[in-house]
Amino acid sequence: MKNLPSIFAWLTLISALPLISMGAVVTTVDAGMAFPDWPTSDGYSMLAYPWLQSIGEPDKFLEHGHRLAGMLTGFFALLLCGSAFLTPQRPAVRILATLVLVLVIAQGLLGGMRVSQVSKVLAMIHGNFACWVFTVMAIAVAVMSPRWANVERLPTGTRTRAAFSATVVLCLVFFLQSVLGGMLRHLGAAHAWRDHPYFAFVVLGVAAITWVLIRRLHHPWLSSWANLMLLLVNGQFLIGLGTWLFRYGWPDAGIVAIQQTSALSALRSLHTLGAVLGFMGLGVMIARLIRTAPVHAPVSETTVETKTRNSSLTTPLDGSSRLAGGAV
């Protein structure tokens, strides 16, 4: 029974993957407004809509499938939160379980507001917010895993501040890059067309520095995740490069742009999913660094008094250096 939250945390995280993937495809093919109403679909309640019969209408089939996937994730998030409070758990587990449920509900409401307000800005916020929701889900899975409590901390005196600071900075610049991508994808912002590809090189540079700093800590648990983090960031860069070349072409290199093709749609959707996975990797990396940070033993009052007494005994007297019990 005590492992139930961990099981439901995994189910919530796994169910969110097809949800995010379908959301990426919905945006790519511009099917977000396939239904003008929400939470109903053409007047039908969520479960009453003849979803399988709508396969001949791709936009409606994709959008309602996305809504159903959201319901499934919400169901698992509810079970996660309930199990965390119905079984003996650490406070951190209950806090994370509650946070996952709140974020899933907020994400669903954002999606509904995007439809009711017919807002592309809300569509962009809905897409970028998925990064945070999925990241918290992944952190919840990590914290609830049996290994979390048994991870060995770094030795006292190990300099983790640089690695932690670099990871936080990388997380921020990666999210900024995702926002620029969202502005290009949803709003067609002119400056994002220029800034998004160039800023990718900044992300790569910060990722390389962060990887080196984490590897220098010589902690296998951190190093293995740092390798995955770097792989996700570089993979996202390569997918983005392919997306850019397919969409806009490179005449000087003989690469012709292809528009409105299945290959381009798949790449664009995969690039969106890669942004969520990359941000998740960075969020979990921060959580792992916090978990392995050295613990400094608190200084007791007895220790302070002893140090003070010894200091007074070794204070120079009459210009000469003396120790307790005699002169040097």
Side-chain angles (χ1 to χ4, degrees):
M1 290 292 290
K2 191 175 181 180
N3 293 331
L4 276 179
S6 179
I7 294 171
F8 288 133
W10 269 110
L11 290 172
T12 304
L13 183 72
I14 293 170
S15 69
L17 276 174
L19 169 62
I20 294 169
S21 301
M22 293 182 72
V25 175
V26 165
T27 301
T28 299
V29 301
D30 199 21
M33 289 302 300
F35 301 102
D37 53 337
W38 182 88
T40 55
S41 299
D42 282 345
Y44 290 90
S45 64
M46 196 72 72
L47 296 176
Y49 182 78
W51 179 48
L52 295 177
Q53 297 176 25
S54 68
I55 196 168
E57 301 177 84
D59 286 2
K60 291 189 175 184
F61 182 78
L62 284 170
E63 172 58 16
H64 193 72
H66 180 53
R67 294 183 180 188
L68 290 176
M71 278 190 65
L72 181 63
T73 300
F75 175 69
F76 285 133
L78 188 60
L79 291 177
L80 165 61
C81 190
S83 64
F85 284 91
L86 294 176
T87 58
Q89 300 295 334
R90 291 168 287 145
V93 170
R94 292 178 174 174
I95 291 171
L96 280 169
T98 304
L99 185 57
V100 167
L101 180 60
V102 170
L103 291 176
V104 168
I105 293 173
Q107 178 71 340
L109 291 174
L110 272 174
M113 290 171 60
R114 178 267 185 276
V115 173
S116 60
Q117 300 296 320
V118 195
S119 171
K120 288 191 173 183
V121 173
L122 285 176
M124 184 190 76
I125 295 173
H126 180 60
N128 287 130
F129 191 61
C131 293
W132 294 92
V133 181
F134 193 73
T135 297
V136 174
M137 289 178 181
I139 292 174
V141 167
V143 172
M144 294 178 196
S145 68
R147 185 173 181 188
W148 185 264
N150 302 318
V151 172
E152 184 180 353
R153 290 186 178 270
L154 289 162
T156 303
T158 305
R159 296 181 179 179
T160 58
R161 185 174 299 176
F164 180 80
S165 300
T167 308
V168 171
V169 171
L170 176 57
C171 194
L172 293 175
V173 297
F174 190 91
F175 184 70
L176 177 57
Q177 173 71 341
S178 298
V179 171
L180 289 171
M183 295 177 71
L184 178 61
R185 182 173 169 83
H186 293 277
L187 308 178
H191 68 86
W193 186 91
R194 179 190 65 251
D195 298 339
H196 184 59
Y198 288 122
F199 197 68
F201 291 98
V202 176
V203 177
L204 282 181
V206 177
I209 294 171
T210 303
W211 180 80
V212 170
L213 290 173
I214 295 173
R215 294 282 300 183
R216 286 177 62 185
L217 297 176
H218 303 295
H219 192 295
W221 194 61
L222 295 177
S223 296
S224 60
W225 196 265
N227 293 338
L228 176 62
M229 176 195 73
L230 190 66
L231 180 64
L232 289 172
V233 172
N234 282 277
Q236 175 68 347
F237 174 81
L238 293 175
I239 295 170
L241 179 62
T243 303
W244 191 266
L245 292 176
F246 269 110
R247 188 172 187 184
Y248 300 108
W250 188 3
D252 293 341
I255 300 176
V256 180
I258 54 173
Q259 300 287 342
Q260 307 301 324
T261 64
S262 299
L264 179 58
S265 296
L267 269 177
R268 291 178 64 194
S269 300
L270 186 61
H271 190 46
T272 301
L273 178 62
V276 177
L277 292 175
F279 191 77
M280 175 275 296
L282 299 176
V284 174
M285 187 77 256
I286 291 174
R288 287 192 173 208
L289 284 167
I290 293 173
R291 178 66 185 87
T292 56
V295 177
H296 299 283
V299 180
S300 64
E301 293 182 5
T302 304
T303 304
V304 173
E305 291 176 0
T306 302
K307 288 184 176 181
T308 304
R309 185 169 59 252
N310 290 340
S311 176
S312 64
L313 292 173
T314 57
T315 303
L317 299 174
D318 300 327
S320 61
S321 181
R322 297 179 180 274
L323 290 174
V328 177

